Amino acid sequence: VHGDLSEYNIMITYKDGEEHVYIIDWPQYTSINSPLAISMLRRDIENIAKFFRRRYMLKVNVEEVFKYITGQ
């Protein structure tokens, strides 16, 4: 789990008509086995959802994204 994910930690490049997404800046990451992993993942999703809401007026359901990622 990244632990500090925001729009500043996501890079998107285009090469030969293909989009490549990179997530950078991992010093605060934690293992999925950590007791803090679930809360950190939820916060990461909330941070990105907030950015898309603010920047693109896109409504993101944090719970749906969380369930998709965790398979729950």
Side-chain angles (χ1 to χ4, degrees):
V1 176
H2 190 281
D4 188 31
L5 192 59
S6 72
E7 67 271 23
Y8 301 108
N9 303 117
I10 300 173
M11 294 175 39
I12 301 172
T13 63
Y14 299 93
K15 184 176 180 182
D16 299 328
E18 290 188 22
E19 183 176 87
H20 300 274
V21 179
Y22 300 93
I23 298 177
I24 62 169
D25 192 20
W26 288 86
Q28 294 182 18
Y29 84 96
T30 189
S31 164
I32 60 171
N33 299 318
S34 167
L36 298 175
I38 295 297
S39 62
M40 290 173 72
L41 176 60
R42 190 175 302 277
R43 185 180 65 205
D44 284 348
I45 296 167
E46 289 170 353
N47 287 344
I48 295 301
K50 183 178 177 181
F51 166 73
F52 279 99
R53 231 183 348 265
R54 192 175 59 239
R55 178 78 160 104
Y56 300 105
M57 291 173 262
L58 178 66
K59 291 185 179 186
V60 177
N61 185 313
V62 172
E63 285 307 310
E64 284 182 18
V65 174
F66 180 80
K67 288 178 184 178
Y68 177 81
I69 291 170
T70 61
Q72 297 179 4

